[in-house]
Amino acid sequence: AQSRRTGIDEERKMKESLDLMEKYKMSELFQKIKKESMITSIICIVFGVMFCIWPGTILVTLCRIAGFVLLVAGIVLLIQGIRIQEMLGRSVRLLPAGGCVVIGIWILAKPGVFVSLIPILIGVMLAYHGVKDLIFSLEVKKGDSPRWWLGLLVAIATIIIGVILMLHTWLALEIGMMAVGIILIYDGVSGLWLNGRAGSAYKRYHN
């Protein structure tokens, strides 16, 4: 009976040791995740503030980075293409390589021009869709639909937004960047708040 009791005690102690080890591992993993979450939240806040304060500068910088990446990719593809002996394979590799190099140099030389094309293209697309929606709304009116004017209002609003984007490109870009900055700040602040709440809840549950 004594040996049986001793065996039960040893088994219980071993189980407690395993539980403690498991608890320690979970605590270590939680602390690691919490630390990473805090770092990413702070990074989001920092970038969000930068986007709000210097939207134009950030846009140009991102554009130059994209141009540099395209240029490097084009040079790598050119080197690979030159080494290909087969004419067809070389042409397939060199044509996109040349395009990447040319576009990359153009973006690096005139990043502002490249950036300003983005809202213009979006504006043209919106205006085109707005005109189509306007025509459809007038057709709906002919069918005596009671709420045809809702489609008309949406169509007019879409055309106006498209025209604004085409005429005020930098203003639209800066507003867009500031909106992204506000979203990043919100995400970072909410992440820090949830991080703190999760830490408190974890301590209450495991202590």
Side-chain angles (χ1 to χ4, degrees), residues 40-42 44-49 52 178-194:
T40 53
S41 295
I42 292 170
C44 281
I45 293 172
V46 171
F47 274 97
V49 171
C52 289
M178 289 174 71
V180 172
I182 292 169
I183 292 169
L184 286 172
I185 292 170
Y186 169 78
D187 184 64
V189 172
S190 61
L192 288 176
W193 180 78
L194 286 172

Side-chain angles (χ1 to χ4, degrees), residues 159-175:
I159 294 170
I160 291 171
I161 292 170
V163 172
I164 291 172
L165 286 174
M166 287 186 281
L167 296 178
H168 304 282
T169 55
W170 273 101
L171 178 62
L173 285 168
E174 289 183 353
I175 291 172

